[in-house]
PDB file of all heavy atoms in Angstrom:
ATOM      1  N   THR A 332      -6.236  15.243 -35.894  1.00 79.00           N
ATOM      2  CA  THR A 332      -5.449  14.916 -37.079  1.00 79.00           C
ATOM      3  C   THR A 332      -5.453  13.411 -37.283  1.00 79.00           C
ATOM      4  O   THR A 332      -5.423  12.632 -36.328  1.00 79.00           O
ATOM      5  CB  THR A 332      -3.992  15.401 -36.942  1.00 79.00           C
ATOM      6  OG1 THR A 332      -3.439  14.903 -35.721  1.00 79.00           O
ATOM      7  CG2 THR A 332      -3.905  16.903 -36.977  1.00 79.00           C
ATOM      8  N   ASN A 333      -5.492  13.004 -38.548  1.00 77.00           N
ATOM      9  CA  ASN A 333      -5.368  11.590 -38.873  1.00 77.00           C
ATOM     10  C   ASN A 333      -3.957  11.327 -39.396  1.00 77.00           C
ATOM     11  O   ASN A 333      -3.104  12.224 -39.419  1.00 77.00           O
ATOM     12  CB  ASN A 333      -6.445  11.157 -39.862  1.00 77.00           C
ATOM     13  CG  ASN A 333      -6.449  11.994 -41.133  1.00 77.00           C
ATOM     14  OD1 ASN A 333      -5.400  12.346 -41.660  1.00 77.00           O
ATOM     15  ND2 ASN A 333      -7.639  12.338 -41.605  1.00 77.00           N
ATOM     16  N   VAL A 334      -3.706  10.111 -39.840  1.00 79.00           N
ATOM     17  CA  VAL A 334      -2.353   9.712 -40.223  1.00 79.00           C
ATOM     18  C   VAL A 334      -1.798  10.569 -41.360  1.00 79.00           C
ATOM     19  O   VAL A 334      -0.596  10.827 -41.425  1.00 79.00           O
ATOM     20  CB  VAL A 334      -2.316   8.214 -40.601  1.00 79.00           C
ATOM     21  CG1 VAL A 334      -3.150   7.926 -41.837  1.00 79.00           C
ATOM     22  CG2 VAL A 334      -0.889   7.726 -40.778  1.00 79.00           C
ATOM     23  N   GLU A 335      -2.680  11.039 -42.253  1.00 81.00           N
ATOM     24  CA  GLU A 335      -2.183  11.755 -43.426  1.00 81.00           C
ATOM     25  C   GLU A 335      -1.527  13.092 -43.079  1.00 81.00           C
ATOM     26  O   GLU A 335      -0.605  13.535 -43.768  1.00 81.00           O
ATOM     27  CB  GLU A 335      -3.321  11.996 -44.432  1.00 81.00           C
ATOM     28  CG  GLU A 335      -3.713  10.771 -45.231  1.00 81.00           C
ATOM     29  CD  GLU A 335      -4.782   9.945 -44.533  1.00 81.00           C
ATOM     30  OE1 GLU A 335      -5.271  10.406 -43.471  1.00 81.00           O
ATOM     31  OE2 GLU A 335      -5.119   8.856 -45.024  1.00 81.00           O
ATOM     32  N   PHE A 336      -1.997  13.755 -42.028  1.00 84.00           N
ATOM     33  CA  PHE A 336      -1.520  15.111 -41.740  1.00 84.00           C
ATOM     34  C   PHE A 336      -0.023  15.134 -41.460  1.00 84.00           C
ATOM     35  O   PHE A 336       0.751  15.795 -42.163  1.00 84.00           O
ATOM     36  CB  PHE A 336      -2.307  15.698 -40.565  1.00 84.00           C
ATOM     37  CG  PHE A 336      -2.018  17.154 -40.309  1.00 84.00           C
ATOM     38  CD1 PHE A 336      -2.591  18.127 -41.099  1.00 84.00           C
ATOM     39  CD2 PHE A 336      -1.179  17.543 -39.278  1.00 84.00           C
ATOM     40  CE1 PHE A 336      -2.319  19.484 -40.870  1.00 84.00           C
ATOM     41  CE2 PHE A 336      -0.904  18.884 -39.038  1.00 84.00           C
ATOM     42  CZ  PHE A 336      -1.479  19.854 -39.839  1.00 84.00           C
ATOM     43  N   PHE A 337       0.418  14.427 -40.439  1.00 88.00           N
ATOM     44  CA  PHE A 337       1.845  14.446 -40.122  1.00 88.00           C
ATOM     45  C   PHE A 337       2.656  13.494 -40.994  1.00 88.00           C
ATOM     46  O   PHE A 337       3.886  13.636 -41.094  1.00 88.00           O
ATOM     47  CB  PHE A 337       2.071  14.161 -38.634  1.00 88.00           C
ATOM     48  CG  PHE A 337       1.791  15.349 -37.759  1.00 88.00           C
ATOM     49  CD1 PHE A 337       0.654  15.402 -36.975  1.00 88.00           C
ATOM     50  CD2 PHE A 337       2.647  16.436 -37.745  1.00 88.00           C
ATOM     51  CE1 PHE A 337       0.383  16.507 -36.183  1.00 88.00           C
ATOM     52  CE2 PHE A 337       2.390  17.552 -36.960  1.00 88.00           C
ATOM     53  CZ  PHE A 337       1.252  17.593 -36.180  1.00 88.00           C
ATOM     54  N   ALA A 338       1.985  12.532 -41.664  1.00 89.00           N
ATOM     55  CA  ALA A 338       2.703  11.703 -42.631  1.00 89.00           C
ATOM     56  C   ALA A 338       3.261  12.577 -43.740  1.00 89.00           C
ATOM     57  O   ALA A 338       4.416  12.411 -44.173  1.00 89.00           O
ATOM     58  CB  ALA A 338       1.778  10.636 -43.211  1.00 89.00           C
ATOM     59  N   GLY A 339       2.443  13.517 -44.215  1.00 88.00           N
ATOM     60  CA  GLY A 339       2.924  14.417 -45.252  1.00 88.00           C
ATOM     61  C   GLY A 339       4.102  15.253 -44.785  1.00 88.00           C
ATOM     62  O   GLY A 339       5.068  15.463 -45.531  1.00 88.00           O
ATOM     63  N   VAL A 340       4.033  15.723 -43.547  1.00 91.00           N
ATOM     64  CA  VAL A 340       5.130  16.533 -43.001  1.00 91.00           C
ATOM     65  C   VAL A 340       6.411  15.712 -42.921  1.00 91.00           C
ATOM     66  O   VAL A 340       7.494  16.167 -43.332  1.00 91.00           O
ATOM     67  CB  VAL A 340       4.746  17.088 -41.617  1.00 91.00           C
ATOM     68  CG1 VAL A 340       5.937  17.804 -40.974  1.00 91.00           C
ATOM     69  CG2 VAL A 340       3.551  18.035 -41.725  1.00 91.00           C
ATOM     70  N   VAL A 341       6.314  14.480 -42.412  1.00 94.00           N
ATOM     71  CA  VAL A 341       7.499  13.624 -42.271  1.00 94.00           C
ATOM     72  C   VAL A 341       8.089  13.291 -43.635  1.00 94.00           C
ATOM     73  O   VAL A 341       9.310  13.351 -43.840  1.00 94.00           O
ATOM     74  CB  VAL A 341       7.153  12.340 -41.486  1.00 94.00           C
ATOM     75  CG1 VAL A 341       8.296  11.330 -41.572  1.00 94.00           C
ATOM     76  CG2 VAL A 341       6.867  12.683 -40.029  1.00 94.00           C
ATOM     77  N   MET A 342       7.238  12.924 -44.591  1.00 93.00           N
ATOM     78  CA  MET A 342       7.759  12.561 -45.912  1.00 93.00           C
ATOM     79  C   MET A 342       8.401  13.750 -46.607  1.00 93.00           C
ATOM     80  O   MET A 342       9.406  13.606 -47.306  1.00 93.00           O
ATOM     81  CB  MET A 342       6.650  11.935 -46.760  1.00 93.00           C
ATOM     82  CG  MET A 342       6.338  10.501 -46.342  1.00 93.00           C
ATOM     83  SD  MET A 342       5.236   9.613 -47.465  1.00 93.00           S
ATOM     84  CE  MET A 342       3.647  10.170 -46.859  1.00 93.00           C
ATOM     85  N   GLU A 343       7.841  14.937 -46.410  1.00 92.00           N
ATOM     86  CA  GLU A 343       8.453  16.141 -46.970  1.00 92.00           C
ATOM     87  C   GLU A 343       9.834  16.360 -46.347  1.00 92.00           C
ATOM     88  O   GLU A 343      10.801  16.702 -47.047  1.00 92.00           O
ATOM     89  CB  GLU A 343       7.549  17.349 -46.692  1.00 92.00           C
ATOM     90  CG  GLU A 343       8.060  18.640 -47.295  1.00 92.00           C
ATOM     91  CD  GLU A 343       7.279  19.051 -48.535  1.00 92.00           C
ATOM     92  OE1 GLU A 343       6.820  18.172 -49.274  1.00 92.00           O
ATOM     93  OE2 GLU A 343       7.163  20.254 -48.767  1.00 92.00           O
ATOM     94  N   GLN A 344       9.956  16.159 -45.038  1.00 94.00           N
ATOM     95  CA  GLN A 344      11.237  16.342 -44.367  1.00 94.00           C
ATOM     96  C   GLN A 344      12.283  15.336 -44.842  1.00 94.00           C
ATOM     97  O   GLN A 344      13.480  15.618 -44.825  1.00 94.00           O
ATOM     98  CB  GLN A 344      11.059  16.220 -42.857  1.00 94.00           C
ATOM     99  CG  GLN A 344      10.298  17.378 -42.225  1.00 94.00           C
ATOM    100  CD  GLN A 344      10.009  17.104 -40.765  1.00 94.00           C
ATOM    101  OE1 GLN A 344       9.429  16.083 -40.421  1.00 94.00           O
ATOM    102  NE2 GLN A 344      10.424  18.018 -39.900  1.00 94.00           N
TER     103      GLN A 344
END
Side-chain angles (χ1 to χ4, degrees):
T332 53
N333 55 40
V334 65
E335 284 89 5
F336 188 78
F337 282 106
V340 174
V341 169
M342 284 189 276
E343 183 105 327
Q344 290 173 305

